[in-house]
Amino acid sequence: MPFLTAAVVLVGALGALNLVLVLGVVKRLREHSALLAVRRGAPSADLEVGTRIGEFETVTEAAEPLTRASLTEAGDLLVAFLSPGCAPCVEKLPGFVAHARSLPGGRRRVLAVVVGEPGEAAAFAAPLGPVAQVVVEEPNGALSRAFGVHSYPTLLRIGPDAEGRPVVTSNAVDLTRPTAMAV
Amino acid sequence: MTGLKCLVGVVFLLALCGKTVVRGGFGGFERSLRELRVVPRAYLRPVAVLVVAGEAGVVLALAVPGRATAVVGFGLATALLLVFTTGIARGLRRGSRTPCRCFGASTTPLGPHHLLRNLLLAVLAVLGATTTVVAAPDGHPAGALVAAAAGLVLGALAATLDELLALFQPMTPQRR
């Protein structure tokens, strides 16, 4: 009997250990999947001019609701997808903030989407608050899906098409030249 | 009863750790509450604090040996789970697909399986409360030990359900 008890305990312990290891592997695997998805992300240049923006519903950091219909209410919109994990984004951030500040129409005409782990992303998004509408979301969040953006930094300009639906009007945004946008 | 105590206790303990011990856990939880769009903005912080306090209460009440505290713990757990389920159901109805940060960081959007999980856990908590009230105290210590082990394992599995389900879904997100 004691042998049997010992054997059952041993088998149980082995099973538990196995479970712990498998859960660890599953967690790591998910991290890898996320990394792969980021790596395989299409370059933003293949978001062609004229691409329609999908339906979405989200909230900005200032808790303003944002939907596809409200995107281009104020006219053309500069959209930046940034991620705290990408070196070029960190480099470009001050330039982008300065550029956004120089735009006529103020923060209603700029949308910054910061994609990443909420804590990091919120800290990264702090300087953007005064100059842009900021949305912080996880990878593959509502806006990433609606725009089809998986690589960072992605800069786009969008405007209403003939039917008033928002479409990509430029995928080569130059941050160095303040542009006068037609209202 | 011991098994159910361990199961429900572990689930709430893991939820609590995911929201407090892990760095950025609480902020993330608060943000996910906001994106769920069922709590008015003014009440976000108090609601988040209340949820964490409630979870801590469940863990404490179930950890203390004794019948009365166990009943209180199971009751509190049931109430919390029903509140969560209602919140998630309303969020889903409004089309909110924010990831569930029930157990800390997660990228799985809210879905029906979260509802099902919470309802099952609520049923188990009710069961735990009734057996505590009705049944005789635990007989054999060895039996209690086995039940406790089973409860711990099942609780851990319930808490990692998102990860396990994600294993059986296609890895590439569907292109629009």
Side-chain angles (χ1 to χ4, degrees):
Chain A
M1 196 64 196
F3 290 117
L4 194 59
T5 312
V8 168
V9 168
L10 179 68
V11 171
L14 268 181
L17 177 70
N18 216 336
L19 198 59
V20 169
L21 289 177
V22 167
L23 286 177
V25 170
V26 168
K27 258 193 152 47
R28 177 58 55 88
L29 201 59
R30 286 202 77 185
E31 280 169 30
H32 283 204
S33 311
L35 284 173
L36 274 175
V38 169
R39 285 197 162 244
R40 239 205 337 239
S44 54
D46 81 357
L47 266 184
E48 285 165 24
V49 170
T51 306
R52 282 211 193 126
I53 311 303
E55 283 282 4
F56 68 89
E57 228 180 276
T58 185
V59 242
T60 65
E61 284 297 271
E64 305 144 325
L66 189 71
T67 62
R68 182 171 77 165
S70 70
L71 263 187
T72 47
E73 269 173 358
D76 286 9
L77 181 77
L78 173 66
V79 184
F81 281 83
L82 306 166
S83 170
C86 89
C89 300
V90 179
E91 274 167 41
K92 279 193 177 180
L93 187 63
F96 178 77
V97 171
H99 178 79
R101 195 175 288 126
S102 72
L103 289 178
R107 55 190 296 279
R108 300 273 302 130
R109 309 285 294 273
V110 187
L111 169 64
V113 187
V114 182
V115 181
E117 185 52 37
E120 274 181 13
F124 181 91
L128 291 162
V131 295
Q133 304 171 72
V134 182
V135 175
V136 171
E137 63 175 35
E138 315 241 341
N140 218 5
L143 280 164
S144 305
R145 284 200 308 272
F147 281 76
V149 169
H150 304 287
S151 58
Y152 315 102
T154 292
L155 290 166
L156 302 165
R157 194 158 281 134
I158 62 168
D161 65 356
E163 284 129 39
R165 276 184 306 227
V167 294
V168 176
T169 53
S170 162
N171 57 11
V173 180
D174 186 1
L175 288 185
T176 51
R177 272 183 315 141
T179 45
M181 289 197 291
V183 179
Chain B
M1 174 194 137
T2 315
L4 285 171
K5 245 177 151 174
C6 286
L7 196 158
V8 176
V10 156
V11 168
F12 276 87
L13 180 66
L14 288 171
L16 183 67
C17 290
K19 293 193 190 83
T20 51
V21 182
V22 182
R23 205 172 57 87
F26 188 72
F29 172 61
E30 223 176 6
R31 181 183 308 276
S32 73
L33 263 185
R34 195 180 70 192
E35 283 169 10
L36 194 60
R37 297 200 296 266
V38 288
V39 182
R41 257 180 66 205
Y43 298 117
L44 272 179
R45 174 136 297 193
V47 166
V49 171
L50 263 179
V51 165
V52 171
E55 283 172 350
V58 171
V59 173
L60 284 177
L62 290 178
V64 177
R67 281 185 151 200
T69 47
V71 173
V72 170
F74 279 128
L76 188 55
T78 313
L80 272 176
L81 283 163
L82 290 178
V83 168
F84 294 161
T85 312
T86 325
I88 295 174
R90 287 181 67 174
L92 280 176
R93 251 213 313 276
R94 295 187 186 186
S96 175
R97 303 285 287 157
T98 182
C100 154
R101 293 187 152 266
C102 331
F103 297 101
S106 157
T107 50
T108 314
L110 280 178
H113 61 274
H114 290 110
L115 286 179
L116 198 66
R117 175 184 69 191
N118 282 358
L119 281 176
L120 269 177
L121 284 171
V123 167
L124 288 175
V126 170
L127 202 67
T130 42
T131 48
T132 312
V133 174
V134 179
D138 283 335
H140 205 291
L145 205 63
V146 172
L152 290 178
V153 169
L154 284 175
L157 285 180
T160 49
L161 185 74
D162 275 356
E163 254 101 7
L164 294 175
L165 283 178
L167 265 188
F168 299 98
Q169 279 161 0
M171 201 182 102
T172 45
Q174 302 299 318
R175 302 289 302 177
R176 274 182 300 111

